[in-house]
Amino acid sequence: DTGVSQNPRHKITKRGQNVTFRCDPISEHNRLYWYRQTLGQGPEFLTYFQNEAQLEKSRLLSDRFSAERPKGSFSTLEIQRTEQGDSAMYLCASSLILTEAFFGQGTRLTVV
Amino acid sequence: AQSVAQPEDQVNVAEGNPLTVKCTYSVSGNPYLFWYVQYPNRGLQFLLKYITGDNLVKGSYGFEAEFNKSQTSFHLKKPSALVSDSALYFCAVRDQAGTALIFGKGTTLSVSS
């Protein structure tokens, strides 16, 4: 197992465009998390799944953001109508229910 | 809802000296506590965790952390700092129900030679 994998590693997009990121978790992990991190700040929780069910969404997650985890395996995070304020590192992590989370390298989004 | 506070934005220590990075938390019920480290342009790496049991937990790279329930703290410590320990450190907490892992804002550790 190579750990949590995120693609793409970098994404530059024009304001107003839609973008989609993919996360492949550690295979036996049933929890999958999405976080957003800006420079010098801690990871900010966005949403998490247990298997295919999305159990919690942050109030910070606007309706332009949507996440899916079909079949409880990989997950996608889509941002519609991107804004400059969406520029950040998007982190994915996976875990078993009560254990530590393991993070991917992240996808750095730049909205121009 | 759970929360984490890291009161120091930066901690500076000399190589060979002991280091402490502070963390306090707020959670309903018993906490699950974690420390992570982030090096420049790298993902977050798990260091150690407290779930239950001994209040002093040992982790990777010689780090340890002390859980103090009365002070709701989980400070990260190392007896002798290395220059290579310089990085950004994050404390995180989840509650017993297993909800989302919530992170502090991070503390930059700078170890000088």
Side-chain angles (χ1 to χ4, degrees), chain B residues 50-65:
Chain B
Y50 171 82
I51 303 298
T52 187
D54 194 348
N55 288 345
L56 184 66
V57 294
K58 296 186 183 297
S60 307
Y61 312 119
F63 283 93
E64 57 190 27

Side-chain angles (χ1 to χ4, degrees), chain B residues 35 37 39 45-49 57-65 76-78 85 89:
Chain B
W35 276 100
V37 60
Y39 297 97
Q45 297 177 34
F46 168 73
L47 274 181
L48 51 79
K49 66 183 177 184
V57 294
K58 296 186 183 297
S60 307
Y61 312 119
F63 283 93
E64 57 190 27
L76 181 70
K77 301 182 179 185
K78 188 173 183 181
D85 293 331
Y89 289 82

Side-chain angles (χ1 to χ4, degrees), chain B residues 2 5 8 10-11 15-16 18 25-26 29 31-32 36 41 45 50 53 56-58 63 65 77 85 89 91 111-112:
Chain B
Q2 59 264 40
E8 303 155 316
Q10 179 144 351
V11 170
E15 189 173 32
Y25 66 89
S26 173
Y32 288 63
Y36 286 80
N41 300 314
Q45 297 177 34
Y50 171 82
L56 184 66
V57 294
K58 296 186 183 297
F63 283 93
K77 301 182 179 185
D85 293 331
Y89 289 82
C91 182
V111 182
S112 57

Side-chain angles (χ1 to χ4, degrees), chain B residues 1-109:
Chain B
Q2 59 264 40
S3 65
V4 175
Q6 293 183 242
E8 303 155 316
D9 290 337
Q10 179 144 351
V11 170
N12 299 308
V13 298
E15 189 173 32
N17 283 357
L19 69 88
T20 299
V21 183
K22 295 180 180 178
C23 171
T24 59
Y25 66 89
S26 173
V27 71
S28 301
N30 294 324
Y32 288 63
L33 295 156
F34 305 83
W35 276 100
Y36 286 80
V37 60
Q38 188 173 38
Y39 297 97
N41 300 314
R42 301 278 295 276
L44 277 80
Q45 297 177 34
F46 168 73
L47 274 181
L48 51 79
K49 66 183 177 184
Y50 171 82
I51 303 298
T52 187
D54 194 348
N55 288 345
L56 184 66
V57 294
K58 296 186 183 297
S60 307
Y61 312 119
F63 283 93
E64 57 190 27
E66 186 169 14
F67 171 63
N68 188 315
K69 188 172 184 177
S70 63
Q71 297 186 2
T72 62
S73 68
F74 189 56
H75 300 331
L76 181 70
K77 301 182 179 185
K78 188 173 183 181
S80 179
L82 299 173
V83 172
S84 58
D85 293 331
S86 298
L88 186 54
Y89 289 82
F90 294 101
C91 182
V93 67
R94 68 154 58 99
D95 65 19
Q96 214 169 10
T99 53
L101 193 58
I102 301 300
F103 284 81
K105 293 187 175 182
T107 298
T108 298
L109 173 66

Side-chain angles (χ1 to χ4, degrees), chain A residues 3-6 22-26 29-36 43 45 47-49 69 73 75 90-96 99-106, chain B residues 36 44 94 101 103:
Chain A
V4 179
S5 177
Q6 292 188 246
R22 177 177 170 127
C23 173
D24 288 274
I26 294 172
H29 286 178
N30 48 13
R31 285 268 178 105
L32 187 148
Y33 307 85
W34 285 100
Y35 290 86
R36 177 172 60 193
F45 169 71
T47 188
Y48 84 93
F49 294 82
R69 192 184 183 196
S73 56
S75 176
Y90 289 84
L91 299 171
C92 177
S94 69
S95 75
L96 298 172
T99 64
E100 61 272 23
F102 291 88
F103 282 79
Q105 296 281 70
Chain B
Y36 286 80
L44 277 80
R94 68 154 58 99
L101 193 58
F103 284 81

